[in-house]
Amino acid sequence: MNKKIIIFIGGLFLTVLASQVAQATTDSAENVGKFLNINPAVTSSAKGGAGVAEYGGADFVYNNPASPAMEAGCNTQIITSYTGWISETNLMNIFLLQRLNGKSNFGLGIRSFSSGDMSEYDVNGKETGDSINFRNYVFQGYYNNKLNNRLSLGGSVKFILLDYITNAGSIIAADGGLLFRLNNKVGVGLSFKNIATALEIANKKYDLQKEINAGLIFNAVQG
């Protein structure tokens, strides 16, 4: 394997790890935007965390931004999803993936996490007569590239609008990942999510909940 690629991968991992350590030692910050770690895609969500090493189409961008570079298929893919919970809380997602050439892909996505009106209660458990709700939106731009037959890299930039009842603000975050195929049967993946500076609202700091994921895939049968 090329020494420059090894150095790049090692540097990328150490950078993300340092970011995680810095977040863990920031006592004054609280996590927001936890909905960003809910997989909105049906297929990759069903595979759980194993999707970080899986190569597929637009469904796998959430697991690992490098993934679609390994997919050989149609030139344009669009995925949509809707998940509903109580109090009209819902997660909606639409993502467009466009193949630029045989080695790279470009994508655009919009995601929302919102609720209907919910009754507000005081400290004694009685309704105040007021209602509360929240509206959160994510606008995402994505690009990845297959460097060679074994290695692909990908990343995305997200503009996030957060509105949590009484607190509102915006923040820019980044995701990234790589996929490396050791041979026709074995592949490894590494991804990181929500790398961003702290968001400050009313003199209080809020951090996005960051993630680092690694995976290994083994194809026992060649199809």
Side-chain angles (χ1 to χ4, degrees), residues 44-73:
S44 59
S45 179
K47 295 190 176 183
V52 69
E54 181 79 43
Y55 44 89
D59 255 359
F60 289 86
V61 170
Y62 173 85
N63 293 79
N64 191 337
S67 178
M70 313 299 282
E71 167 77 1

Side-chain angles (χ1 to χ4, degrees), residues 148-166:
N148 52 50
N149 291 331
R150 291 190 173 187
L151 179 65
S152 65
L153 302 175
S156 67
V157 176
K158 301 179 292 191
F159 178 69
I160 306 164
L161 296 174
L162 299 170
D163 181 7
Y164 276 93
I165 304 174
T166 58

Side-chain angles (χ1 to χ4, degrees), residues 123-189:
V123 292
N124 297 316
K126 295 182 178 180
E127 289 192 31
T128 63
D130 296 326
S131 62
I132 55 177
N133 56 50
F134 57 85
R135 301 283 189 274
N136 302 284
Y137 300 95
V138 180
F139 303 91
Q140 179 181 11
Y142 162 83
Y143 177 80
N144 76 353
N145 188 55
K146 185 178 180 181
L147 299 184
N148 52 50
N149 291 331
R150 291 190 173 187
L151 179 65
S152 65
L153 302 175
S156 67
V157 176
K158 301 179 292 191
F159 178 69
I160 306 164
L161 296 174
L162 299 170
D163 181 7
Y164 276 93
I165 304 174
T166 58
N167 294 325
S170 62
I171 191 170
I172 296 176
D175 299 344
L178 62 89
L179 273 178
F180 181 71
R181 300 177 68 172
L182 300 175
N183 50 49
N184 291 332
K185 291 186 176 182
V186 182
V188 294

Side-chain angles (χ1 to χ4, degrees), residues 22-209:
Q23 179 190 356
T25 56
T26 306
D27 297 330
S28 61
E30 295 182 3
N31 289 136
V32 296
K34 294 184 179 181
F35 73 94
L36 294 169
N37 294 327
I38 302 175
N39 190 341
V42 177
T43 303
S44 59
S45 179
K47 295 190 176 183
V52 69
E54 181 79 43
Y55 44 89
D59 255 359
F60 289 86
V61 170
Y62 173 85
N63 293 79
N64 191 337
S67 178
M70 313 299 282
E71 167 77 1
C74 61
N75 291 326
T76 305
Q77 293 182 346
I78 299 176
I79 61 169
T80 60
S81 63
Y82 175 90
T83 305
W85 294 280
I86 60 174
S87 300
E88 298 181 19
T89 302
N90 62 80
L91 176 68
M92 293 189 293
N93 176 66
I94 181 169
F95 187 84
L96 167 69
L97 180 67
Q98 177 66 45
R99 184 177 296 279
L100 298 179
N101 50 52
K103 294 184 177 181
S104 59
N105 303 285
F106 172 76
L108 294 172
I110 300 176
R111 198 185 323 172
S112 71
F113 182 62
S114 59
S115 74
D117 291 334
M118 298 177 288
S119 298
E120 185 178 44
Y121 295 85
D122 61 21
V123 292
N124 297 316
K126 295 182 178 180
E127 289 192 31
T128 63
D130 296 326
S131 62
I132 55 177
N133 56 50
F134 57 85
R135 301 283 189 274
N136 302 284
Y137 300 95
V138 180
F139 303 91
Q140 179 181 11
Y142 162 83
Y143 177 80
N144 76 353
N145 188 55
K146 185 178 180 181
L147 299 184
N148 52 50
N149 291 331
R150 291 190 173 187
L151 179 65
S152 65
L153 302 175
S156 67
V157 176
K158 301 179 292 191
F159 178 69
I160 306 164
L161 296 174
L162 299 170
D163 181 7
Y164 276 93
I165 304 174
T166 58
N167 294 325
S170 62
I171 191 170
I172 296 176
D175 299 344
L178 62 89
L179 273 178
F180 181 71
R181 300 177 68 172
L182 300 175
N183 50 49
N184 291 332
K185 291 186 176 182
V186 182
V188 294
L190 174 69
S191 69
F192 59 87
K193 301 174 186 175
N194 305 326
I195 305 303
T197 57
L199 171 65
E200 187 169 338
I201 302 175
N203 297 320
K204 191 172 184 178
K205 290 185 177 180
Y206 297 88
D207 274 325
L208 296 182
Q209 186 173 356

